[in-house]
Amino acid sequence: MTAPARRPRRRVLLSTVSSDSHTWNLVFLQLLLEESGNEVINLGSCVPDDVILDAVRAERFDAVVISSVNGHGFLDGRRVIKKLRSIPEGDGLPVMIGGKLGILGDGNDRYSDELVAAGFDAVFSDSTSPEALTDYLRGLPGARLHELVGGRVT
């Protein structure tokens, strides 16, 4: 009997910004991403920038998703993406941010262009449907077949 073929899955790092303590939205996003065929590493809430950087350095991810619901996604997101883009492992890595990016309500959409200019590949406001994220990820090139080699995911 042969083993079933393993299909490539995207390996996605999921996190909040350091000032954001929400957990339920992260659980929802993790389940949504997993149901869409992704492998998700969820760092949890209130994640310091350096923890995100260390995770990107230590593992090969196909994408990074940053979520915010406290209204500081714009401020914290600009700082995080600048740091991510400054390390070799973050160069070319698809990184997206979404949620409540500011405290302007419907006016939060105004932050999208600046966040893309800062280095994010995609920005999803809190009024965007969850499917927009999964569709975006599905459209990215290069889902890899990740294997465990010597205790490390490759």
Side-chain angles (χ1 to χ4, degrees):
M1 178 181 278
T2 59
R6 293 176 45 196
R7 69 182 178 121
R9 294 171 43 142
R10 289 200 197 297
R11 192 151 206 256
V12 178
L13 178 65
L14 175 62
S15 181
T16 62
V17 291
S18 61
S19 68
D20 208 312
S21 63
H22 77 278
T23 55
W24 171 242
N25 286 17
L26 284 175
V27 170
F28 169 79
L29 281 172
Q30 180 175 348
L31 292 172
L32 176 74
L33 293 170
E34 288 173 343
E35 287 175 6
S36 297
N38 300 288
E39 176 186 355
V40 179
I41 306 302
N42 184 345
L43 294 180
S45 63
C46 293
V47 179
D49 299 352
D50 289 340
V51 172
I52 297 171
L53 295 175
D54 289 345
V56 168
R57 284 184 188 111
E59 303 286 343
R60 283 182 35 181
F61 290 101
D62 297 303
V64 175
V65 174
I66 306 288
S67 176
S68 176
V69 298
N70 70 356
H72 297 131
F74 172 68
L75 296 172
D76 291 342
R78 285 186 312 174
R79 185 189 65 246
V80 169
I81 195 63
K82 182 178 179 182
K83 290 179 180 181
L84 267 172
R85 294 301 185 214
S86 73
I87 62 173
E89 299 85 353
D91 186 33
L93 178 65
V95 182
M96 56 230 63
I97 189 168
K100 189 173 179 185
L101 304 173
I103 57 170
L104 302 177
D106 291 339
N108 286 337
D109 287 345
R110 76 180 200 120
Y111 297 121
S112 296
D113 290 341
E114 191 170 339
L115 288 167
V116 168
F120 282 99
D121 296 284
V123 178
F124 303 97
S125 69
D126 54 349
S127 62
T128 305
S129 76
E131 290 78 23
L133 173 61
T134 55
D135 290 347
Y136 183 83
L137 283 168
R138 207 174 356 264
L140 291 175
R144 295 189 293 255
L145 182 62
H146 294 279
E147 298 180 38
L148 191 61
V149 177
R152 184 179 168 100
V153 175
T154 63

mmCIF file of all heavy atoms in Angstrom, residues 18-57:
data_model
loop_
_atom_site.group_PDB
_atom_site.id
_atom_site.type_symbol
_atom_site.label_atom_id
_atom_site.label_comp_id
_atom_site.label_asym_id
_atom_site.label_seq_id
_atom_site.Cartn_x
_atom_site.Cartn_y
_atom_site.Cartn_z
ATOM 1 N N SER A 18 2.386 43.997 18.844
ATOM 2 C CA SER A 18 2.745 43.912 20.263
ATOM 3 C C SER A 18 1.707 44.516 21.206
ATOM 4 O O SER A 18 1.590 44.084 22.347
ATOM 5 C CB SER A 18 4.108 44.563 20.503
ATOM 6 O OG SER A 18 4.064 45.930 20.152
ATOM 7 N N SER A 19 0.941 45.489 20.747
ATOM 8 C CA SER A 19 -0.019 46.142 21.639
ATOM 9 C C SER A 19 -1.393 45.488 21.634
ATOM 10 O O SER A 19 -2.287 45.943 22.343
ATOM 11 C CB SER A 19 -0.171 47.609 21.230
ATOM 12 O OG SER A 19 -0.808 47.703 19.963
ATOM 13 N N ASP A 20 -1.564 44.428 20.875
ATOM 14 C CA ASP A 20 -2.897 43.875 20.681
ATOM 15 C C ASP A 20 -3.073 42.564 21.437
ATOM 16 O O ASP A 20 -2.369 41.595 21.186
ATOM 17 C CB ASP A 20 -3.144 43.646 19.196
ATOM 18 C CG ASP A 20 -4.611 43.734 18.849
ATOM 19 O OD1 ASP A 20 -5.422 43.106 19.563
ATOM 20 O OD2 ASP A 20 -4.951 44.416 17.877
ATOM 21 N N SER A 21 -4.052 42.522 22.339
ATOM 22 C CA SER A 21 -4.228 41.350 23.198
ATOM 23 C C SER A 21 -5.377 40.440 22.771
ATOM 24 O O SER A 21 -5.744 39.545 23.513
ATOM 25 C CB SER A 21 -4.467 41.806 24.641
ATOM 26 O OG SER A 21 -5.674 42.546 24.722
ATOM 27 N N HIS A 22 -5.939 40.638 21.586
ATOM 28 C CA HIS A 22 -7.070 39.797 21.198
ATOM 29 C C HIS A 22 -6.627 38.363 20.912
ATOM 30 O O HIS A 22 -5.551 38.131 20.389
ATOM 31 C CB HIS A 22 -7.819 40.387 20.007
ATOM 32 C CG HIS A 22 -7.155 40.194 18.677
ATOM 33 N ND1 HIS A 22 -6.150 41.007 18.226
ATOM 34 C CD2 HIS A 22 -7.366 39.283 17.705
ATOM 35 C CE1 HIS A 22 -5.772 40.609 17.028
ATOM 36 N NE2 HIS A 22 -6.486 39.558 16.682
ATOM 37 N N THR A 23 -7.456 37.427 21.298
ATOM 38 C CA THR A 23 -7.149 36.025 21.015
ATOM 39 C C THR A 23 -8.233 35.364 20.175
ATOM 40 O O THR A 23 -7.936 34.531 19.340
ATOM 41 C CB THR A 23 -6.948 35.205 22.309
ATOM 42 O OG1 THR A 23 -8.098 35.358 23.128
ATOM 43 C CG2 THR A 23 -5.718 35.662 23.053
ATOM 44 N N TRP A 24 -9.503 35.725 20.395
ATOM 45 C CA TRP A 24 -10.580 35.062 19.677
ATOM 46 C C TRP A 24 -10.423 35.261 18.172
ATOM 47 O O TRP A 24 -10.585 34.328 17.394
ATOM 48 C CB TRP A 24 -11.946 35.541 20.153
ATOM 49 C CG TRP A 24 -13.028 35.030 19.268
ATOM 50 C CD1 TRP A 24 -13.896 35.756 18.519
ATOM 51 C CD2 TRP A 24 -13.344 33.657 18.994
ATOM 52 N NE1 TRP A 24 -14.731 34.934 17.801
ATOM 53 C CE2 TRP A 24 -14.405 33.626 18.078
ATOM 54 C CE3 TRP A 24 -12.812 32.440 19.422
ATOM 55 C CZ2 TRP A 24 -14.953 32.445 17.594
ATOM 56 C CZ3 TRP A 24 -13.363 31.268 18.942
ATOM 57 C CH2 TRP A 24 -14.416 31.280 18.044
ATOM 58 N N ASN A 25 -10.096 36.476 17.741
ATOM 59 C CA ASN A 25 -9.929 36.713 16.303
ATOM 60 C C ASN A 25 -8.779 35.891 15.747
ATOM 61 O O ASN A 25 -8.834 35.434 14.604
ATOM 62 C CB ASN A 25 -9.724 38.197 16.020
ATOM 63 C CG ASN A 25 -11.004 38.971 16.177
ATOM 64 O OD1 ASN A 25 -11.966 38.510 16.780
ATOM 65 N ND2 ASN A 25 -11.027 40.165 15.639
ATOM 66 N N LEU A 26 -7.721 35.702 16.537
ATOM 67 C CA LEU A 26 -6.608 34.868 16.077
ATOM 68 C C LEU A 26 -7.037 33.413 15.912
ATOM 69 O O LEU A 26 -6.636 32.744 14.957
ATOM 70 C CB LEU A 26 -5.434 34.942 17.056
ATOM 71 C CG LEU A 26 -4.600 36.200 17.004
ATOM 72 C CD1 LEU A 26 -3.550 36.176 18.108
ATOM 73 C CD2 LEU A 26 -3.945 36.383 15.647
ATOM 74 N N VAL A 27 -7.851 32.923 16.826
ATOM 75 C CA VAL A 27 -8.352 31.553 16.721
ATOM 76 C C VAL A 27 -9.214 31.433 15.468
ATOM 77 O O VAL A 27 -9.084 30.477 14.693
ATOM 78 C CB VAL A 27 -9.135 31.141 17.987
ATOM 79 C CG1 VAL A 27 -9.853 29.810 17.780
ATOM 80 C CG2 VAL A 27 -8.208 31.082 19.181
ATOM 81 N N PHE A 28 -10.085 32.408 15.241
ATOM 82 C CA PHE A 28 -10.915 32.397 14.040
ATOM 83 C C PHE A 28 -10.049 32.402 12.783
ATOM 84 O O PHE A 28 -10.268 31.610 11.869
ATOM 85 C CB PHE A 28 -11.862 33.609 14.028
ATOM 86 C CG PHE A 28 -12.549 33.801 12.712
ATOM 87 C CD1 PHE A 28 -13.647 33.022 12.376
ATOM 88 C CD2 PHE A 28 -12.096 34.732 11.794
ATOM 89 C CE1 PHE A 28 -14.285 33.173 11.154
ATOM 90 C CE2 PHE A 28 -12.722 34.892 10.564
ATOM 91 C CZ PHE A 28 -13.814 34.114 10.242
ATOM 92 N N LEU A 29 -9.050 33.293 12.733
ATOM 93 C CA LEU A 29 -8.169 33.356 11.561
ATOM 94 C C LEU A 29 -7.398 32.057 11.367
ATOM 95 O O LEU A 29 -7.237 31.582 10.243
ATOM 96 C CB LEU A 29 -7.197 34.529 11.690
ATOM 97 C CG LEU A 29 -7.755 35.890 11.354
ATOM 98 C CD1 LEU A 29 -6.755 36.982 11.709
ATOM 99 C CD2 LEU A 29 -8.142 35.976 9.894
ATOM 100 N N GLN A 30 -6.916 31.491 12.457
ATOM 101 C CA GLN A 30 -6.185 30.229 12.349
ATOM 102 C C GLN A 30 -7.076 29.150 11.746
ATOM 103 O O GLN A 30 -6.667 28.436 10.820
ATOM 104 C CB GLN A 30 -5.655 29.784 13.706
ATOM 105 C CG GLN A 30 -4.897 28.478 13.626
ATOM 106 C CD GLN A 30 -4.266 28.069 14.944
ATOM 107 O OE1 GLN A 30 -4.190 28.847 15.882
ATOM 108 N NE2 GLN A 30 -3.809 26.834 15.009
ATOM 109 N N LEU A 31 -8.288 29.013 12.250
ATOM 110 C CA LEU A 31 -9.209 28.002 11.723
ATOM 111 C C LEU A 31 -9.551 28.277 10.259
ATOM 112 O O LEU A 31 -9.578 27.355 9.439
ATOM 113 C CB LEU A 31 -10.485 27.952 12.566
ATOM 114 C CG LEU A 31 -10.310 27.422 13.986
ATOM 115 C CD1 LEU A 31 -11.598 27.593 14.783
ATOM 116 C CD2 LEU A 31 -9.865 25.973 13.971
ATOM 117 N N LEU A 32 -9.785 29.531 9.925
ATOM 118 C CA LEU A 32 -10.087 29.900 8.538
ATOM 119 C C LEU A 32 -8.932 29.537 7.609
ATOM 120 O O LEU A 32 -9.129 28.934 6.556
ATOM 121 C CB LEU A 32 -10.365 31.410 8.453
ATOM 122 C CG LEU A 32 -10.607 31.973 7.063
ATOM 123 C CD1 LEU A 32 -11.983 31.569 6.558
ATOM 124 C CD2 LEU A 32 -10.468 33.491 7.087
ATOM 125 N N LEU A 33 -7.727 29.869 8.032
ATOM 126 C CA LEU A 33 -6.551 29.586 7.208
ATOM 127 C C LEU A 33 -6.291 28.087 7.096
ATOM 128 O O LEU A 33 -5.938 27.582 6.030
ATOM 129 C CB LEU A 33 -5.331 30.304 7.772
ATOM 130 C CG LEU A 33 -5.376 31.841 7.683
ATOM 131 C CD1 LEU A 33 -4.233 32.456 8.479
ATOM 132 C CD2 LEU A 33 -5.367 32.303 6.245
ATOM 133 N N GLU A 34 -6.468 27.360 8.188
ATOM 134 C CA GLU A 34 -6.274 25.908 8.150
ATOM 135 C C GLU A 34 -7.316 25.226 7.272
ATOM 136 O O GLU A 34 -6.995 24.312 6.513
ATOM 137 C CB GLU A 34 -6.286 25.329 9.566
ATOM 138 C CG GLU A 34 -5.046 25.677 10.344
ATOM 139 C CD GLU A 34 -5.082 25.258 11.802
ATOM 140 O OE1 GLU A 34 -6.185 24.972 12.334
ATOM 141 O OE2 GLU A 34 -4.015 25.230 12.422
ATOM 142 N N GLU A 35 -8.561 25.675 7.369
ATOM 143 C CA GLU A 35 -9.616 25.092 6.535
ATOM 144 C C GLU A 35 -9.384 25.384 5.057
ATOM 145 O O GLU A 35 -9.909 24.684 4.201
ATOM 146 C CB GLU A 35 -10.986 25.608 6.979
ATOM 147 C CG GLU A 35 -11.434 25.011 8.290
ATOM 148 C CD GLU A 35 -12.742 25.599 8.791
ATOM 149 O OE1 GLU A 35 -13.373 26.401 8.072
ATOM 150 O OE2 GLU A 35 -13.129 25.258 9.919
ATOM 151 N N SER A 36 -8.573 26.398 4.762
ATOM 152 C CA SER A 36 -8.230 26.729 3.380
ATOM 153 C C SER A 36 -6.986 25.992 2.917
ATOM 154 O O SER A 36 -6.450 26.283 1.848
ATOM 155 C CB SER A 36 -8.010 28.236 3.247
ATOM 156 O OG SER A 36 -9.188 28.928 3.536
ATOM 157 N N GLY A 37 -6.500 25.061 3.747
ATOM 158 C CA GLY A 37 -5.378 24.219 3.345
ATOM 159 C C GLY A 37 -4.010 24.711 3.759
ATOM 160 O O GLY A 37 -2.999 24.200 3.288
ATOM 161 N N ASN A 38 -3.948 25.685 4.642
ATOM 162 C CA ASN A 38 -2.668 26.212 5.101
ATOM 163 C C ASN A 38 -2.253 25.574 6.415
ATOM 164 O O ASN A 38 -3.095 25.190 7.225
ATOM 165 C CB ASN A 38 -2.774 27.731 5.317
ATOM 166 C CG ASN A 38 -3.153 28.457 4.059
ATOM 167 O OD1 ASN A 38 -2.354 28.585 3.138
ATOM 168 N ND2 ASN A 38 -4.382 28.936 3.989
ATOM 169 N N GLU A 39 -0.962 25.491 6.618
ATOM 170 C CA GLU A 39 -0.420 25.135 7.930
ATOM 171 C C GLU A 39 -0.162 26.455 8.644
ATOM 172 O O GLU A 39 0.485 27.343 8.094
ATOM 173 C CB GLU A 39 0.883 24.364 7.780
ATOM 174 C CG GLU A 39 1.537 24.055 9.107
ATOM 175 C CD GLU A 39 2.904 23.424 8.956
ATOM 176 O OE1 GLU A 39 3.322 23.132 7.822
ATOM 177 O OE2 GLU A 39 3.555 23.241 9.988
ATOM 178 N N VAL A 40 -0.675 26.596 9.856
ATOM 179 C CA VAL A 40 -0.606 27.877 10.552
ATOM 180 C C VAL A 40 0.172 27.740 11.855
ATOM 181 O O VAL A 40 -0.103 26.851 12.657
ATOM 182 C CB VAL A 40 -2.020 28.428 10.853
ATOM 183 C CG1 VAL A 40 -1.948 29.749 11.596
ATOM 184 C CG2 VAL A 40 -2.814 28.589 9.558
ATOM 185 N N ILE A 41 1.132 28.622 12.037
ATOM 186 C CA ILE A 41 1.833 28.762 13.308
ATOM 187 C C ILE A 41 1.314 30.061 13.917
ATOM 188 O O ILE A 41 1.563 31.149 13.388
ATOM 189 C CB ILE A 41 3.366 28.832 13.110
ATOM 190 C CG1 ILE A 41 3.880 27.646 12.307
ATOM 191 C CG2 ILE A 41 4.071 28.983 14.457
ATOM 192 C CD1 ILE A 41 3.591 26.288 12.887
ATOM 193 N N ASN A 42 0.577 29.955 15.009
ATOM 194 C CA ASN A 42 -0.069 31.091 15.654
ATOM 195 C C ASN A 42 0.770 31.506 16.859
ATOM 196 O O ASN A 42 0.874 30.760 17.830
ATOM 197 C CB ASN A 42 -1.482 30.686 16.077
ATOM 198 C CG ASN A 42 -2.282 31.823 16.661
ATOM 199 O OD1 ASN A 42 -1.750 32.864 17.029
ATOM 200 N ND2 ASN A 42 -3.584 31.612 16.750
ATOM 201 N N LEU A 43 1.366 32.688 16.793
ATOM 202 C CA LEU A 43 2.207 33.167 17.888
ATOM 203 C C LEU A 43 1.397 33.732 19.053
ATOM 204 O O LEU A 43 1.941 33.948 20.125
ATOM 205 C CB LEU A 43 3.177 34.244 17.388
ATOM 206 C CG LEU A 43 4.233 33.793 16.389
ATOM 207 C CD1 LEU A 43 5.122 34.960 15.989
ATOM 208 C CD2 LEU A 43 5.065 32.651 16.948
ATOM 209 N N GLY A 44 0.114 33.985 18.854
ATOM 210 C CA GLY A 44 -0.719 34.486 19.931
ATOM 211 C C GLY A 44 -0.807 35.995 19.963
ATOM 212 O O GLY A 44 -0.488 36.676 18.995
ATOM 213 N N SER A 45 -1.232 36.505 21.097
ATOM 214 C CA SER A 45 -1.473 37.942 21.235
ATOM 215 C C SER A 45 -0.293 38.642 21.905
ATOM 216 O O SER A 45 0.565 38.008 22.519
ATOM 217 C CB SER A 45 -2.747 38.175 22.036
ATOM 218 O OG SER A 45 -2.601 37.658 23.338
ATOM 219 N N CYS A 46 -0.271 39.967 21.773
ATOM 220 C CA CYS A 46 0.768 40.821 22.379
ATOM 221 C C CYS A 46 2.174 40.332 22.031
ATOM 222 O O CYS A 46 3.044 40.224 22.902
ATOM 223 C CB CYS A 46 0.595 40.906 23.885
ATOM 224 S SG CYS A 46 -0.899 41.764 24.395
ATOM 225 N N VAL A 47 2.404 40.037 20.775
ATOM 226 C CA VAL A 47 3.675 39.468 20.353
ATOM 227 C C VAL A 47 4.699 40.571 20.109
ATOM 228 O O VAL A 47 4.485 41.429 19.248
ATOM 229 C CB VAL A 47 3.499 38.616 19.079
ATOM 230 C CG1 VAL A 47 4.823 38.040 18.617
ATOM 231 C CG2 VAL A 47 2.488 37.503 19.332
ATOM 232 N N PRO A 48 5.802 40.569 20.847
ATOM 233 C CA PRO A 48 6.850 41.556 20.607
ATOM 234 C C PRO A 48 7.424 41.400 19.197
ATOM 235 O O PRO A 48 7.492 40.284 18.659
ATOM 236 C CB PRO A 48 7.915 41.229 21.663
ATOM 237 C CG PRO A 48 7.190 40.459 22.718
ATOM 238 C CD PRO A 48 6.110 39.698 21.993
ATOM 239 N N ASP A 49 7.834 42.508 18.610
ATOM 240 C CA ASP A 49 8.392 42.496 17.254
ATOM 241 C C ASP A 49 9.502 41.471 17.113
ATOM 242 O O ASP A 49 9.576 40.751 16.114
ATOM 243 C CB ASP A 49 8.944 43.879 16.888
ATOM 244 C CG ASP A 49 7.889 44.965 16.897
ATOM 245 O OD1 ASP A 49 6.687 44.663 17.044
ATOM 246 O OD2 ASP A 49 8.275 46.140 16.754
ATOM 247 N N ASP A 50 10.381 41.394 18.093
ATOM 248 C CA ASP A 50 11.527 40.490 18.011
ATOM 249 C C ASP A 50 11.116 39.020 17.958
ATOM 250 O O ASP A 50 11.816 38.201 17.367
ATOM 251 C CB ASP A 50 12.505 40.724 19.166
ATOM 252 C CG ASP A 50 13.257 42.037 19.022
ATOM 253 O OD1 ASP A 50 13.311 42.574 17.886
ATOM 254 O OD2 ASP A 50 13.790 42.527 20.027
ATOM 255 N N VAL A 51 9.982 38.683 18.567
ATOM 256 C CA VAL A 51 9.502 37.296 18.514
ATOM 257 C C VAL A 51 9.063 36.960 17.087
ATOM 258 O O VAL A 51 9.346 35.870 16.582
ATOM 259 C CB VAL A 51 8.364 37.067 19.528
ATOM 260 C CG1 VAL A 51 7.717 35.701 19.344
ATOM 261 C CG2 VAL A 51 8.895 37.226 20.954
ATOM 262 N N ILE A 52 8.413 37.899 16.412
ATOM 263 C CA ILE A 52 8.027 37.691 15.011
ATOM 264 C C ILE A 52 9.281 37.538 14.158
ATOM 265 O O ILE A 52 9.384 36.617 13.348
ATOM 266 C CB ILE A 52 7.153 38.857 14.507
ATOM 267 C CG1 ILE A 52 5.841 38.919 15.286
ATOM 268 C CG2 ILE A 52 6.895 38.734 13.004
ATOM 269 C CD1 ILE A 52 5.009 40.158 15.021
ATOM 270 N N LEU A 53 10.257 38.413 14.360
ATOM 271 C CA LEU A 53 11.502 38.341 13.594
ATOM 272 C C LEU A 53 12.221 37.024 13.836
ATOM 273 O O LEU A 53 12.712 36.395 12.889
ATOM 274 C CB LEU A 53 12.415 39.502 13.955
ATOM 275 C CG LEU A 53 11.918 40.905 13.590
ATOM 276 C CD1 LEU A 53 12.874 41.963 14.129
ATOM 277 C CD2 LEU A 53 11.718 41.060 12.111
ATOM 278 N N ASP A 54 12.299 36.595 15.084
ATOM 279 C CA ASP A 54 12.961 35.326 15.408
ATOM 280 C C ASP A 54 12.259 34.147 14.739
ATOM 281 O O ASP A 54 12.917 33.226 14.244
ATOM 282 C CB ASP A 54 13.020 35.107 16.922
ATOM 283 C CG ASP A 54 14.000 36.047 17.615
ATOM 284 O OD1 ASP A 54 14.834 36.674 16.922
ATOM 285 O OD2 ASP A 54 13.917 36.157 18.854
ATOM 286 N N ALA A 55 10.927 34.168 14.713
ATOM 287 C CA ALA A 55 10.180 33.084 14.073
ATOM 288 C C ALA A 55 10.459 33.052 12.576
ATOM 289 O O ALA A 55 10.665 31.976 12.002
ATOM 290 C CB ALA A 55 8.682 33.253 14.332
ATOM 291 N N VAL A 56 10.499 34.208 11.945
ATOM 292 C CA VAL A 56 10.778 34.275 10.500
ATOM 293 C C VAL A 56 12.199 33.815 10.208
ATOM 294 O O VAL A 56 12.451 33.148 9.206
ATOM 295 C CB VAL A 56 10.509 35.701 9.970
ATOM 296 C CG1 VAL A 56 11.050 35.886 8.563
ATOM 297 C CG2 VAL A 56 9.014 36.008 10.011
ATOM 298 N N ARG A 57 13.128 34.132 11.102
ATOM 299 C CA ARG A 57 14.512 33.680 10.920
ATOM 300 C C ARG A 57 14.642 32.165 11.106
ATOM 301 O O ARG A 57 15.437 31.515 10.442
ATOM 302 C CB ARG A 57 15.427 34.379 11.925
ATOM 303 C CG ARG A 57 15.736 35.803 11.597
ATOM 304 C CD ARG A 57 16.741 36.362 12.613
ATOM 305 N NE ARG A 57 16.938 37.768 12.451
ATOM 306 C CZ ARG A 57 16.532 38.696 13.322
ATOM 307 N NH1 ARG A 57 15.913 38.338 14.437
ATOM 308 N NH2 ARG A 57 16.756 39.970 13.078
#
